[in-house]
């Protein structure tokens, strides 16, 4: 199934897929969904369950919806909108769709960002930072100690108030709301992986991908995506495909090239309780609080 907020994007995606392989057309189900609306999410989940049943109707879900603002005069509004899509929307989708996932081998994949690591690196409140990267973090912790204070401070005084509370910095951070949302998403992924041990749940960064989301980078620089080192969307999809389909016990050489990042370690082994992790665009496990570049050494246990 393909779920998106805009019907014309659905139609474009289906056309692209069926042009490459017409037989895929009968296997694609399309639903319009606004992840920022709990009513819309619940309606989409009901549509799926009505058609496919409530028992293990899905193999996996990929949370890919996202938005990003540069910091502007309405920072509190931008933060709320960003969190509604990038964070609370993910929670709504997981709450609604995880009950429909296959219980013994289902997967959840979170499209995150290196911005989450950058966001945590900007936090100088050590208690908050350690909470966000802890393997025992809870969703309640994330809300009460990070997201709720961020939103409250943003309403009271914008980004400067968050900086005073040591939850971000002002000088060199122009995507504060995005960084906050992805830092929280990575922590939520950790939490979800520990509370749904029967599923394989991990997050990843797709890398620097040329999409509508990164258009402002091109506009600000006056350069093309390729001149800035951006990759095409097909490259950004590779780590998602890997986390969706690669088996922990598989021989890496047997994984299709279309799913294989350039450098890799196998991302998970559910039999050993390895879950709720964050991976780079090269498929290698990465830390939550430090940016690890493509091809760098994997983050150890």
């Amino acid at each position: 199934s393909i779920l998106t907020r805009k019907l014309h994007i659905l139609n474009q995606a289906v056309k692209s897929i069926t042009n490459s392989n017409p037989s895929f057309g009968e296997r694609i189900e399309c639903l319009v969904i606004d992840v920022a609306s709990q009513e819309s999410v619940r309606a989409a989940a009901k549509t799926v369950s009505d058609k496919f049943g409530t028992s293990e109707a899905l193999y996996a879900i990929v949370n890919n919806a996202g938005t990003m603002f540069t910091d502007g005069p309405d920072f509190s509004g931008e933060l709320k909108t960003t969190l509604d899509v990038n964070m609370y929307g993910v929670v709504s989708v997981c709450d609604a769709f995880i009950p429909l996932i296959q219980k013994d081998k289902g997967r959840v994949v979170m499209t995150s960002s290196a911005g989450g690591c950058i966001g945590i690196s900007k936090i100088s409140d050590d208690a908050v930072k350690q909470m966000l990267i802890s393997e025992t973090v809870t969703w309640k912790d994330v809300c009460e100690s990070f997201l709720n204070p961020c939103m409250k401070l943003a309403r009271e005084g914008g980004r400067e108030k968050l900086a005073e509370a040591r939850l971000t910095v002002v000088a060199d951070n122009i995507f504060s709301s995005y960084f906050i949302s992805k830092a929280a998403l990575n922590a939520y992924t950790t939490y979800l992986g520990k509370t749904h041990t029967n599923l394989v749940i991990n997050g990843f960064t797709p890398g620097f991908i040329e999409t509508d989301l990164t258009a402002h980078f091109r506009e600000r620089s006056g350069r093309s995506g390729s001149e800035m080192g951006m990759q095409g969307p097909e490259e950004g999809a590779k780590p998602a495909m890997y986390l969706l389909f690669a088996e922990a016990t598989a021989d890496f050489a047997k994984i299709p090239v279309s799913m294989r990042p350039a450098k890799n370690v196998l991302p998970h082994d559910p039999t050993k309780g390895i879950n709720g992790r964050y991976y780079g665009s090269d498929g290698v496990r990465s830390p939550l609080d430090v940016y690890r570049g493509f091809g760098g050494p994997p983050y150890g246990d």
Side-chain angles (χ1 to χ4, degrees), residues 92-209:
S92 295
V93 168
C94 288
D95 286 348
F97 283 91
I98 281 181
L100 305 180
I101 293 178
Q102 296 174 10
K103 300 297 186 292
D104 60 340
K105 59 181 179 181
R107 303 192 181 191
V108 179
V109 176
M110 310 289 198
T111 304
S112 187
S113 168
C117 308
I118 296 171
I120 290 180
S121 74
K122 305 296 184 187
I123 298 171
S124 55
D125 184 321
D126 192 59
V128 173
K129 178 180 290 189
Q130 292 304 315
M131 178 273 295
L132 289 171
I133 65 175
S134 169
E135 291 196 354
T136 60
V137 66
T138 68
W139 175 229
K140 182 180 179 182
D141 292 336
V142 176
C143 291
E144 292 185 353
S145 298
F146 185 54
L147 293 179
N148 294 349
C150 282
M151 197 66 248
K152 181 177 183 292
L153 291 165
R155 292 193 184 102
E156 292 175 352
R159 188 162 58 110
E160 288 73 14
K161 274 287 187 181
L162 270 75
E164 289 175 11
R166 301 186 298 157
L167 295 176
T168 187
V169 298
V170 171
D172 60 349
N173 186 344
I174 60 171
F175 306 106
S176 302
S177 58
Y178 183 76
F179 291 169
I180 288 168
S181 72
K182 293 302 185 179
L185 176 61
N186 289 344
Y188 177 70
T189 302
T190 301
Y191 160 74
L192 207 66
K194 301 301 181 185
T195 54
H196 292 79
T197 55
N198 58 309
L199 303 176
V200 178
I201 302 174
N202 291 298
F204 74 100
T205 174
F208 200 26
I209 306 299

Side-chain angles (χ1 to χ4, degrees), residues 10-301:
L10 272 177
N11 293 332
Q12 291 172 3
V14 172
K15 183 178 180 180
S16 174
I17 293 169
T18 54
N19 281 346
S20 63
N21 193 323
S23 67
F24 288 168
E26 60 189 33
R27 298 170 56 189
I28 299 173
E29 297 283 339
C30 296
L31 287 173
V32 174
I33 183 174
D34 179 359
V35 300
S37 164
Q38 291 190 4
E39 181 180 347
S40 176
V41 172
R42 285 193 293 265
K46 185 177 186 304
T47 299
V48 172
S49 62
D50 285 349
K51 183 162 186 177
F52 300 104
T54 58
S55 178
E56 303 192 344
L58 301 175
Y59 166 66
I61 54 175
V62 180
N63 285 291
N64 190 56
T67 190
M68 177 165 56
F69 295 92
T70 54
D71 292 350
D74 182 23
F75 178 70
S76 65
E78 294 163 356
L79 178 59
K80 181 181 184 304
T81 299
T82 303
L83 292 178
D84 283 347
V85 175
N86 294 4
M87 186 62 260
Y88 300 127
V90 172
V91 176
S92 295
V93 168
C94 288
D95 286 348
F97 283 91
I98 281 181
L100 305 180
I101 293 178
Q102 296 174 10
K103 300 297 186 292
D104 60 340
K105 59 181 179 181
R107 303 192 181 191
V108 179
V109 176
M110 310 289 198
T111 304
S112 187
S113 168
C117 308
I118 296 171
I120 290 180
S121 74
K122 305 296 184 187
I123 298 171
S124 55
D125 184 321
D126 192 59
V128 173
K129 178 180 290 189
Q130 292 304 315
M131 178 273 295
L132 289 171
I133 65 175
S134 169
E135 291 196 354
T136 60
V137 66
T138 68
W139 175 229
K140 182 180 179 182
D141 292 336
V142 176
C143 291
E144 292 185 353
S145 298
F146 185 54
L147 293 179
N148 294 349
C150 282
M151 197 66 248
K152 181 177 183 292
L153 291 165
R155 292 193 184 102
E156 292 175 352
R159 188 162 58 110
E160 288 73 14
K161 274 287 187 181
L162 270 75
E164 289 175 11
R166 301 186 298 157
L167 295 176
T168 187
V169 298
V170 171
D172 60 349
N173 186 344
I174 60 171
F175 306 106
S176 302
S177 58
Y178 183 76
F179 291 169
I180 288 168
S181 72
K182 293 302 185 179
L185 176 61
N186 289 344
Y188 177 70
T189 302
T190 301
Y191 160 74
L192 207 66
K194 301 301 181 185
T195 54
H196 292 79
T197 55
N198 58 309
L199 303 176
V200 178
I201 302 174
N202 291 298
F204 74 100
T205 174
F208 200 26
I209 306 299
E210 188 169 1
T211 64
D212 291 346
L213 196 69
T214 56
H216 58 275
F217 288 106
R218 302 189 296 275
E219 294 166 359
R220 288 170 63 91
S221 70
R223 294 182 291 166
S224 68
S226 58
E227 289 172 334
M228 296 186 68
M230 292 184 180
Q231 301 290 316
E234 66 280 358
E235 290 299 314
K238 285 183 178 180
M241 295 290 286
Y242 186 67
L243 291 176
L244 272 175
F245 299 114
E247 295 297 335
T249 57
D251 180 349
F252 181 67
K254 296 179 181 178
I255 297 173
V257 173
S258 62
M259 293 164 49
R260 190 190 308 166
K263 292 188 177 183
N264 225 300
V265 294
L266 290 170
H268 47 250
D269 184 350
T271 64
K272 296 182 179 178
I274 298 173
N275 219 8
R277 291 182 167 181
Y278 167 73
Y279 293 87
S281 57
D282 54 2
V284 177
R285 187 190 177 197
S286 301
L288 297 181
D289 56 343
V290 178
Y291 173 70
R292 188 195 66 81
F294 188 97
Y299 176 65
D301 293 321

